[in-house]
Amino acid sequence: MMSGKDQDDDGDVGVKVETRPKTKRPPLYKVLILNDDYTPMEFVVHVLERYFGMTHAQAVELMLTVHQKGVAVAGVFSHEIAETKVALVMDLAQRHQHPLQCTMEKE
């Protein structure tokens, strides 16, 4: 006896279940501020407040870390955002004739 439905051997109607592939999170990148002997500390604090959303106290603390250790992580972002922040910091530093360096590296 044939019915209009597709049936497998145990009589159940077959249902196709689609599974979505697990999406991997995009890699994150650390934005690093590097120390130099010429960029004024106030300028570094300004950059951290303006481009990394830090309070004045947070920016001063991170600037001192950069000053003492030579480098500090200003934030961790997706590739595009990290790249943009590095470009903004470098552009502002160049326009103010400061040798401040800002780079990014994969976390």
Side-chain angles (χ1 to χ4, degrees), residues 7 22 60 68 73 90 92 104:
Q7 292 184 337
K22 293 242 174 168
V60 167
Q68 292 161 357
V73 177
M90 294 300 293
L92 188 67
M104 59 189 264

Side-chain angles (χ1 to χ4, degrees), residues 28-94:
L28 294 175
Y29 291 80
K30 296 185 280 192
V31 175
L32 306 169
I33 303 288
L34 307 175
N35 189 44
D36 65 73
D37 293 331
Y38 303 101
T39 303
M41 291 179 174
E42 301 79 33
F43 183 79
V44 177
V45 169
H46 171 71
V47 163
L48 294 171
E49 290 172 345
R50 180 171 176 178
Y51 296 123
F52 298 94
M54 295 184 185
T55 65
H56 186 72
Q58 290 169 326
V60 167
E61 189 175 333
L62 194 81
M63 175 275 299
L64 288 172
T65 301
V66 171
H67 183 68
Q68 292 161 357
K69 297 191 174 178
V71 64
V73 177
V76 179
F77 309 94
S78 68
H79 186 269
E80 293 77 16
I81 293 173
E83 209 171 45
T84 300
K85 291 197 182 277
V86 168
L88 289 168
V89 170
M90 294 300 293
D91 180 60
L92 188 67
Q94 287 170 353

